[in-house]
């Protein structure tokens, strides 16, 4: 999952971005409203964490601009204001949820998970592909009865492939959702991580779940596709 974090308090931004990355999210961070709108125009985000009181246009205006552009990306608004009128204004601007500062990071994560389950089950509690099972809450994976030890980035890649199981996914699509804006399109980092996943997932199995489609990308097999 790739997130946009819009927060002008450098300390909070570092804390939240670090925590989200440790939870397998790819995070782009900006500190003002104008940059936030620009980033949503050039990138496809799975979710936006948006502070209200930011330089440039404020969070309410950012939210309205995103919705006016036709994007339905889930938006979680952050604010130090806890008045009912402010919450109503945020929701009326197009936000999907509202979290008041200061907040527990665990609650932020829970709200993000809830938003990502709406309305299209983008992040269901469990993803099952053949004998591979992912628990999206604990970010763990197993194949059959065997647990698979994964780093945060390996898990993020595997979950993205699992959510697109059966589809052939090219490297650009993978990078767009699993890596942040610092991804170098000339690098082979996607291929390196796919090979790491293969070694871990197919450790004791004769058939590889992740297949290479030459010139196209990668496919997590569902069992119904020809090898």
């Amino acid at each position: 999952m790739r997130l946009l974090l819009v927060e002008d308090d450098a300390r909070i931004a570092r804390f939240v971005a670090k925590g989200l990355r440790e939870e397998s999210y790819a995070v782009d961070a900006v500190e003002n409203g104008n940059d936030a709108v620009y980033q949503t125009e050039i990138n496809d985000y799975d979710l936006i964490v948006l502070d209200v009181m930011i330089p440039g246009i404020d969070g309410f205006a950012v939210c309205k601009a995103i919705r006016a552009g036709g994007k339905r990306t889930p938006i979680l608004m952050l604010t130090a204001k806890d008045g009912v009128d402010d919450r109503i204004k945020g929701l009326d601007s197009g936000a999907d949820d509202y979290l008041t500062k200061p907040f527990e990071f665990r609650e932020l994560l829970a709200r993000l998970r809830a938003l990502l389950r709406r309305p299209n089950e983008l992040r269901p509690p469990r993803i099952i592909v053949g004998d591979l099972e992912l628990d999206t809450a604990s970010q763990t994976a197993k194949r059959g009865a065997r647990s698979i030890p994964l780093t945060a980035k390996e898990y993020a890649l595997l979950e993205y492939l699992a959510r697109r199981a059966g589809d052939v996914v090219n490297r650009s699509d993978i990078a767009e959702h699993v890596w942040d804006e610092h991804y170098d399109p000339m690098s082979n980092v996607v291929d390196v991580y796919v090979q790491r996943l293969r070694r871990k997932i197919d450790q004791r199995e004769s058939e590889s779940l992740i297949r290479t489609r030459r010139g196209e990308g990668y496919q997590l097999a569902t069992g119904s596709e020809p090898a």
Side-chain angles (χ1 to χ4, degrees):
M1 292 290 183
R2 186 175 180 182
L3 276 61
L4 176 64
L5 172 63
V6 188
E7 171 60 67
D8 66 316
D9 186 312
R11 182 183 60 82
I12 295 176
R14 285 194 300 269
F15 169 75
V16 173
K18 180 177 182 293
L20 290 174
R21 287 169 180 143
E22 289 174 351
E23 293 293 325
S24 303
Y25 295 100
V27 181
D28 294 343
V30 296
E31 61 182 22
N32 66 72
N34 302 87
D35 287 347
V37 173
Y38 174 72
Q39 288 295 323
T40 62
E41 290 173 344
I42 64 172
N43 295 309
D44 181 19
Y45 291 104
D46 297 294
L47 194 144
I48 299 167
V49 180
L50 173 64
D51 188 27
V52 172
M53 303 302 294
I54 49 177
I57 61 174
D58 65 16
F60 299 128
V62 170
C63 198
K64 288 180 179 179
I66 292 171
R67 296 303 184 226
K71 295 208 171 187
R72 303 310 306 163
T73 310
I75 298 175
L76 172 63
M77 298 196 84
L78 303 177
T79 182
K81 297 182 177 181
D82 59 358
V84 173
D85 289 342
D86 293 304
R87 294 199 297 272
I88 292 174
K89 185 176 180 180
L91 295 172
D92 285 346
S93 297
D96 297 277
D97 199 1
Y98 207 94
L99 185 59
T100 304
K101 298 177 180 177
F103 54 83
E104 285 281 345
F105 187 70
R106 293 178 302 165
E107 182 179 2
L108 174 65
L109 289 177
R111 288 177 181 267
L112 296 184
R113 290 194 296 267
L115 286 176
L116 289 168
R117 289 195 294 268
R118 298 185 213 162
N120 300 317
E121 289 297 314
L122 292 176
R123 193 181 175 97
R126 292 184 184 275
I127 303 175
I128 300 175
V129 182
D131 61 351
L132 178 69
E133 181 177 340
L134 278 67
D135 185 319
T136 63
S138 63
Q139 298 187 341
T140 55
K142 62 181 181 179
R143 189 170 184 187
R146 177 173 62 86
S147 296
I148 304 171
L150 297 172
T151 65
K153 189 61 71 178
E154 288 168 350
Y155 175 83
L157 173 57
L158 181 58
E159 183 181 312
Y160 183 68
L161 292 174
R163 288 191 292 112
R164 298 284 303 274
D167 297 340
V168 177
V169 187
N170 63 44
R171 291 168 180 80
S172 296
D173 285 339
I174 293 172
E176 178 76 18
H177 290 272
V178 181
W179 275 266
D180 60 23
E181 62 185 339
H182 301 295
Y183 170 77
D184 179 1
M186 301 303 293
S187 76
N188 67 340
V189 66
V190 171
D191 306 283
V192 170
Y193 271 87
V194 168
Q195 292 306 316
R196 289 181 183 176
L197 278 181
R198 278 200 179 113
R199 287 196 294 269
K200 292 184 175 183
I201 294 172
D202 303 329
Q203 193 175 64
R204 300 175 185 174
E205 286 75 12
S206 58
E207 182 180 7
S208 177
L209 281 182
I210 303 177
R211 299 172 181 174
T212 300
R213 298 301 183 188
R214 194 171 299 278
E216 298 179 82
Y218 296 104
Q219 177 191 49
L220 187 67
T222 63
S224 59
E225 301 85 3

